[in-house]
Amino acid sequence: MTELEKKRSAAPVPSEWTYAPAPEARDIVSLEERYGLFVGGEFVEPRSGEYFPTIDPSNEEPLAEVAQAGPEDVSAAVASAREAFENGWSGLAPAERAKYLFRIARILQERSREFAVLESLNGGKPIRESRDVDLPLAAAHFFYYAGWADKLEYAFPNRRPRPLGVAGQIIPWNFPLLMLAWKIAPALAAGNTVVLKPAETTPLSALLFCDVLRQAELPHGVVNLVTGDGRTGAELVKHEGVDKIAFTGSTEVGKAIQRELAGTGRRLTLELGGKAANIVFDDAPLDQAIEGIVNGIYFNQGHVCCAGSRLFVQESIYEPVVSKLKRRLQTLRVGDPLDKNTDVGAINSKQQLTKIEELVAAGEAEGAEIYQPPCRLPERGYWFAPTVFTNVAQSYRIAQEEIFGPVLSVLTFRTPDEAVEKANNTPYGLSAGVWTDKGSRILAMASRLRAGVIWANTFNRFDPSSPFGGYKESGFGREGGLHGLEPYLDFDGKADSFGG
Ligand code: NAI
Ligand code: MG
């Protein structure tokens, strides 16, 4: 135990905040012992013959075995997607395509509790979030893009939109089903077929989604699923039968994919990391801002590419903000993801926990001051207490690198100019937040912050009609909204306007 851990576990847990446990029943989920790959509308055994276990990160218990797709499996999935594209899907009346998407959306709503429980079991996120955020938004994405499927000619007037062909889609583990929806819904609405690879730590909701596809009677081969780790992803990227790659994940892998595709003419969109600035001016409604700060960085254990991980507080309100924030942290309930009272769940994997621990140790070594509220972390599983660093200099690693955990770095500023300069001082450019009473200041800040999404007096709000994506090392291309269709379409003589 480190000094800090000793202090934390010795401190009394505030008694006025104890609740009786309220566990969500998990028997709505029935798991197979072993899952194959979903190719051509059915589950098939992997030709690789390899499987690996997927676990519950809150207790390290194995949940099921999933296939590690090899090169032959990826080829079979791509061939199935091609066949479905050529012989049916691309020629289907757009209004018919829309019907399938509407069906998928409705089935997701009907089965939302089952999906929410599975998402929390396999990924460690609180059931409250899977239930109230991931599932409603995933269904909303299918509804939204279903509406566009037969209106593409109006969406892109005089540009003659056409589907690209087979889309290879690689997604991360922080919002497994939601990222699947972000990828599959626009691809299908635009008339493409898909080979999707979920992240190796969270494949189960994507596998359950294949059952939704069968229920919706989606034509075979329109969506294929290959599970496996980065090797499977790399096979999909280099496969010449794939016309477009859509990737969400680390900047490191995104750069490698961009190198691989350079000069091939195959299309690419990248949604990579972030190090968002959440900027609080002295005229902001403080209590509301505190809620936004907490939601900005502790939502989904901070496993959020657009997390508000750098808090910039105007110097004159530094003391009240930090003391209110620390007090609020003491009320966050860390623990069982399936308990309806839980605010902060389990860290997604051992690998991610190690990364968080390493960066937090670097923060302490560089001289930042650490605060963690008293809370007892479960013995088994992967856990990290909500953490705030003060006395942070811009050059510290915790102010520069994406931690992707429940760790906030607090910095200060005096003037709007200084806030802009510091906020933009990062290789990333995905999102930002501004808290102020003045509408004119919101607009002025928004025009100067180099970030794809800027929230004003709120944070981490998502809507399928609103495009999402980054600048600089946060990637290129937009997902969501009308913009999110462009990367899946070809136009007469014109490339899409958002890269890729
Ligand atoms: P990662 O980028 O390795 O994994 C994301 C997806 O890419 C997974 O499906 C993975 O299997 C796949 N992948 C891995 N290597 C690949 C390759 N060479 N070719 C094709 N696909 C490949 O991310 P990882 O290792 O899980 O997390 C590392 C860090 O990345 C995190 O700590 C976080 O900072 C960042 N990250 C950012 C995300 C975002 O939403 N922007 C999501 C996940 C991670
Ligand atoms: Mg990786």
Side-chain angles (χ1 to χ4, degrees), residues 7 23 138 141 189 265 404 455 465 479 486 494:
K7 228 165 58 192
H141 253 82
F404 226 61
W455 286 290
S465 64
E479 296 187 298
E486 291 204 39
K494 284 182 209 153

Side-chain angles (χ1 to χ4, degrees), residues 47-92:
R47 298 177 193 195
S48 69
E50 281 178 51
Y51 292 86
F52 63 96
T54 184
I55 64 163
D56 174 345
S58 74
N59 56 23
E60 297 166 66
E61 294 291 339
L63 293 172
E65 291 214 321
V66 295
Q68 167 69 38
E72 279 185 71
D73 298 303
V74 171
S75 282
V78 172
S80 151
R82 174 65 57 195
E83 151 88 21
F85 179 75
E86 307 285 348
N87 303 325
W89 189 248
S90 61
L92 200 64

Side-chain angles (χ1 to χ4, degrees), residues 74-148:
V74 171
S75 282
V78 172
S80 151
R82 174 65 57 195
E83 151 88 21
F85 179 75
E86 307 285 348
N87 303 325
W89 189 248
S90 61
L92 200 64
E96 294 300 312
R97 284 205 309 267
K99 282 187 197 167
Y100 289 107
L101 292 170
F102 278 122
R103 257 189 227 170
I104 292 169
R106 281 196 301 268
I107 298 169
L108 276 180
Q109 285 184 319
E110 281 160 17
R111 299 179 68 175
S112 66
R113 197 166 81 80
E114 181 185 2
F115 270 98
V117 171
L118 183 60
E119 201 73 317
S120 285
L121 267 180
N122 198 197
K125 65 171 66 200
I127 185 71
R128 208 161 46 81
E129 292 177 8
S130 352
R131 184 192 64 197
D132 299 346
V133 181
D134 297 68
L135 260 295
L137 278 176
H141 253 82
F142 281 100
F143 275 122
Y144 176 79
Y145 280 109
W148 277 125

Side-chain angles (χ1 to χ4, degrees), residues 236-240 242-243 245 261 264-268:
L236 188 56
V237 168
K238 71 175 196 226
H239 200 292
E240 285 175 2
V242 174
D243 300 297
I245 290 288
L261 292 189
T264 64
R266 294 158 63 208
R267 303 264 289 267
L268 174 65

